[in-house]
Amino acid sequence: MDRRSFIKTLLGGAAVLGLGNVIPRGPGAPMALAQGFPDLVAVKGTDVAAMYDRALEAIGGLGRFVGKGQKVLIKPNMGWAVEPKRAANTSPELLAHIIKNAKALGAAKISVFDNTCDNWRSAYGESGLEEAANAAGAEVAPANSERYFQKVTIPGDTKLGETSYHELYLEADVIINVPVLKHHGGAKMTAALKNMMGAIWDRSDLHWGGLDRCIPELMLYKKPTLNIVEAQRVLLTNGPRGHADSKYLAANMLLASTDPVAIDSAAYRIMAESGITEPGYIAHAASIGLGQNDLSRLNVQRLTV
Amino acid sequence: MKPNERMKTIKLIRRIIAWGIFVLLIVSFHKPDAFHWVIKYLPKIQFGQSLAGFFSRGSMTAVLTFLTLSVLAVILGRFFCGFLCPLGAFMDFAFFVRSKIKKRPFSFSTGRPHWLIFPSLLLISFWVGYPFPFGQLEPYSLFVSGHAFLLLVMLLAIFAGRAFCAYLCPTGLALRLLAGQSLLGFKLDPATCLNCGACQKACPAFCLNVRDKSLDRGRCLVCLECATVCPNGSLRYGLASPATPNPGRRRFLRLAGAGAMAAGAYLTGENLRARTFAQPDSQPIMPPGALSLAHLNAHCTLCHTCIAVCPNGAIQPSHSGTPILTAKPFLDPYMGFCQYDCVVCGEACPTGALSPLTVEAKRLTRLGLARFDRPECVVIKNSTSCGACAELCPTGAVRMAPGPSGQDEPTLDTDYCIGCGACQKACPVRPVSAIVVTGLSIQQTAKAPRVVISEDLIPTEDFPF
């Protein structure tokens, strides 16, 4: 190798290394934040489809996130083999509505899955979500076996170190996180951050390592593009499954935000009156840079339909 | 048309049916979701299972199937062995191998070993306390769960035809008693027989004697091998002659002898078996509908249909060192828990060892009781929030409540515990969960979960942020 080619190689290598830092990490990195849109939208109403339409309109439309030919993952909560009125899973009507919206925008593939707590066939069926998603034109994928999951290293100094995400989560261009807001015996509350536990394989790692610390870490590898929290009928006690003596709050609300920490902070405010303590993972998520937990510093739009 | 053409067609139909059942069973055991109807009904038409079901009276389907198959055996002979038995179909494959490697023909046998071998095995098994006549000999159970023994059966078939069916099979012995004087059967016509012996050489059950033109219908498997090779069409299926040589006293003595051995084995084995499971600490968790360990032990044929259908993979064959529990289906919560609304195993059980339960009854059926080992709990040990057990508990027996540690910790109210094992599965502590279910030897009914009908609370503020 002569000197000239050596220098060329060196320069080429440097260029590649330099570019590596410019290219956004992970395929699902959200598009550059469009200015002028609210950070968080909260819509009150009783018709979930209308609430969704209004919220998305305010936040710039789903077209801001979903483009033609993209692979879209919609991650509801469908971990429990209970009927929709128990509000332990995301509303089938809302899920179907989002799928149709993404389909209309030309998404190439829309998938839905959850690593369920109850038996997956029962949970997919009883929740009514599989039927609704299939009818709306999504692919409902299984997540009941480790073979669907791939191990990745979470960047940064984390407690988890590594975890296995569902292959559909890893390959998705756009991830729409659609949890239902509810009480949770261990983590205090389930919303956007907590819903990621259904996208990975081994949850016991998080229980072992401490939920408050580990839950936010799941978003460090790849953050959902958009979070929508359904808070129509909020399970207040004995969550996340709910029992026959559980109490509910008729909150009739839907939240939308690209910031999972902001949306969880707002979601907690909805439940706060029921006496639950604030989940420690919200503050931790803010501290590791996942988002803003101080709502006073955000542009929050409040709407009613 | 050659005289045996029609018989060849019927033999082909027999093979299609038997091999169809063979293939369907294998497929449905591997894809129980997609072939739910197969696994729900096909095991039920197995004679051995219906026989066990008849005696357990656990299911009306089994009783009716047993009576139907018995009447058909009395009329048609052991057609079950030729047409419906998956192990018989398996042995057909072995004959294909045999035809490639070994040409020695079969010959006639008196068939007496059946009266000796099977009851002896029964005797031994009762003494040892391991039910291997059912677990490892009953053909359907052997087919679906006795993988190691399948190889032996294959070898036996290659070298000795369907000797298994003639000498070892417990279902075969029962059918032999029923079909010995069957109304219809194969007959060798002495007027047209050429004495070539082709049929006798082809008969894998050794039941055909060309010298005196006789055929033992108790052992004939209606496999049609003889009829398809007869060059003169001398073997015909029709009204059989009622007279067979020396039925009377000798036959009665054989039967009485076998019965006495079985009864003796049962009576003397009882004590031994009782002694083998006096270990309350290792009490296994029985699947829902097993009622009691005594009921399960008496009626389970180790066919493992419940293991195949369990959607959570919770039911596993036991590897207990205790002979009578070996290979029995028990819940292993580390593998999976018993899904709250699921009644699939009871529906699929062909013998009634697991009674079919309604979903309402299943929800209250207590299989065992959870025990919470507080010092091992991560909330206490690591001072973290967890609650995985309470999360999964379907009845609310385990809940999170503020405890002495100052944070929410699991509290257990065993009144509501149904022993499904969801808490044990969810608990992150390993190798032994901090909450573990111990089985009950008699299943109980748990207290119905608390129901409080409460109106939804209406929030006071429109936007609380």
Side-chain angles (χ1 to χ4, degrees), chain B residues 355-378:
Chain B
S355 323
L357 298 175
T358 61
V359 174
E360 288 70 31
K362 158 66 176 61
R363 285 176 178 158
L364 295 180
T365 301
R366 178 182 286 156
L367 317 174
L369 283 171
R371 212 167 38 193
F372 179 46
D373 187 1
R374 189 170 175 272
E376 288 302 314
C377 175
V378 285

Side-chain angles (χ1 to χ4, degrees), chain B residues 3 32 37 87 110 115 136 139 144 165 238 256 301 309 329 336 414-415 438 463:
Chain B
W37 59 272
L87 198 68
T110 56
W115 304 110
Q136 258 63 50
V144 295
C165 316
T301 62
V309 295
T414 47
D415 280 359
T438 306
F463 290 98

